[in-house]
Amino acid sequence: MQAKDVLSIGEIAARVGLSVSSIRFYEARGLIQAHRSAGQQRRYHRADIRRLSFIRIAQQLGLTLEEIKAELDRLPLGRPPNARDWRGISTAIAATLDQKIQALMKTRDRLDGCIGCGCLSLETCALFNPRDQAAKGGAGPRYLLGDDIPPATKASAHD
Amino acid sequence: MQAKDVLSIGEIAARVGLSVSSIRFYEARGLIQAHRSAGQQRRYHRADIRRLSFIRIAQQLGLTLEEIKAELDRLPLGRPPNARDWRGISTAIAATLDQKIQALMKTRDRLDGCIGCGCLSLETCALFNPRDQAAKGGAGPRYLLGDDIPPATKASAHD
DNA sequence: ATGCAACCTCAACCTAGATTGAGGTCAAGC
DNA sequence: GCTTGACCTCAATCTAGGTTGAGGTTGCAT
């Protein structure tokens, strides 16, 4: 297990369990950079393994690439990040996760109330109220989980 | 407030707080049906208000349209669903939600362990382990939340 | 010095969940 | 009976997060 300091994209992909195409995609999105060989092939440092692994984990945790980029942008520029740097941003992400869990539990409780009260009877039900916008605007269940709520859409619902 | 029994798509859209285009989209996806006027315009029944509202709520709860369709398909066919029918599927959804919360909390705990153990040190870390596939395969954070885990992808990671 | 796997770019395609626009029809009020 | 807003279909576009393929280079081992 010789400590190889410079890796090709295929090598680093195998190391972190990502596809080559994803890594190029992340580069296009600004989450990672590579320097190039004389023939324009991407070359990575050992430290990039950690960076890519972090991306993978953060995705498992439900963060968008935008969010992940925001965290990564807080890493130091001049030197490779150390354990403390990583611990810092992991802690930040744990907090984000907590918020998402809280939001989900709150919603769960509301649903409970709705079921309990013989609800789904409209008008009185918070979940059924059209003015109670939450799921509009993007793909996926994201708003629900604690992200920005987009400004109310046109739905002129005067029921 | 006259009880109108038949509604146009614009009317029902306003009632439930959805856009007209979404409702057509849901129809294309098989979540709702309309009968048609002589001139091919969609006509909805009062009972469809509840159906569409349910779709909205279930989305807020983070279900995909596929999942929502699966629930709706369990409603009776011959008659309009009653309160008990709705209560039944709401309960089912509460259970799904619980699973998602559990999964999220478990992941949160794992992250905690990782931070605590001075982790992010690779090799030993469960979250950092490439073989620990979870976020691959589709869009969004969905697998994480307890959905099907897709079969392991090619990543030949023999680190 | 050559062969071939791995790399390069760029464009097209994919799913989910829609919105927007073009071009055309319906129906209700005056 | 005509105007006008609401409706119709169908195709294109969008975001997120990628994959796939075409067509063309690089670079390492023999």
Side-chain angles (χ1 to χ4, degrees), chain A residues 16 19-20 25 32 40 42 45 56 58-59 61 65 71 75 77 80 91 98 109-110 118 139 147 151 154-155:
Chain A
V16 299
S19 68
V20 166
F25 181 75
I32 184 143
Q40 293 310 303
R42 289 171 180 82
H45 275 297
R56 236 169 54 80
Q59 278 203 295
L61 298 179
L65 293 187
E71 294 298 333
L75 287 173
L77 269 172
T91 306
D98 280 339
D109 285 348
R110 289 215 294 163
D147 288 14
K154 50 197 168 189

Side-chain angles (χ1 to χ4, degrees), chain A residues 1 13-19 22 49-50 53-54 56-57 59-63 83 86-87 90-91 93-95 97-98 100-101 104-105 107-108 110-112 115 118-123 125 127-136 139-142 144-145 154-159, chain B residues 1 13-19 22 49-50 53-54 56-57 59-63 83 86-87 90-91 93-95 97-98 100-101 104-105 107-108 110-112 115 118-123 125 127-136 139-142 144-145 154-159:
Chain A
M1 204 191 267
R15 280 300 300 269
V16 299
L18 285 169
S19 68
S22 306
I49 295 174
R50 198 162 296 215
S53 294
F54 175 80
R56 236 169 54 80
I57 292 169
Q59 278 203 295
Q60 288 180 41
L61 298 179
L63 305 208
W86 285 118
R87 196 145 50 230
S90 295
T91 306
I93 280 182
L97 244 198
D98 280 339
K100 298 192 184 214
I101 292 171
L104 203 50
M105 284 172 54
T107 312
R108 165 63 242 238
R110 289 215 294 163
L111 178 59
D112 242 13
I115 297 169
C119 206
L120 306 180
S121 57
L122 310 192
E123 272 82 39
C125 177
L127 282 172
F128 261 116
N129 190 334
R131 268 176 290 264
D132 194 17
Q133 293 284 356
K136 308 299 300 304
R142 230 157 273 130
L144 187 253
L145 296 176
K154 50 197 168 189
S156 66
H158 60 148
D159 52 351
Chain B
M1 204 191 270
R15 279 301 299 271
V16 299
L18 284 170
S19 69
S22 305
I49 295 174
R50 199 162 296 214
S53 295
F54 176 79
R56 237 170 54 82
I57 292 168
Q59 278 203 295
Q60 290 179 40
L61 298 180
L63 305 208
W86 285 117
R87 197 145 50 230
S90 295
T91 307
I93 280 182
L97 245 197
D98 280 338
K100 298 194 185 213
I101 292 171
L104 204 49
M105 284 173 56
T107 312
R108 165 61 242 239
R110 289 216 294 164
L111 178 58
D112 243 13
I115 297 169
C119 206
L120 305 179
S121 58
L122 310 191
E123 271 82 39
C125 175
L127 283 172
F128 261 116
N129 190 333
R131 267 175 292 264
D132 193 17
Q133 293 284 355
K136 307 300 299 306
R142 228 157 274 131
L144 191 251
L145 297 176
K154 50 197 168 190
S156 67
H158 61 147
D159 51 351

Side-chain angles (χ1 to χ4, degrees), chain B residues 2 4 14 28-29 39 46 69 99 102 122 130 134-135 138 143:
Chain B
Q2 76 290 31
K4 216 173 161 181
R29 281 284 198 277
R46 280 180 65 71
K69 176 169 162 41
Q99 280 175 16
Q102 288 309 312
L122 310 191
Y143 296 120

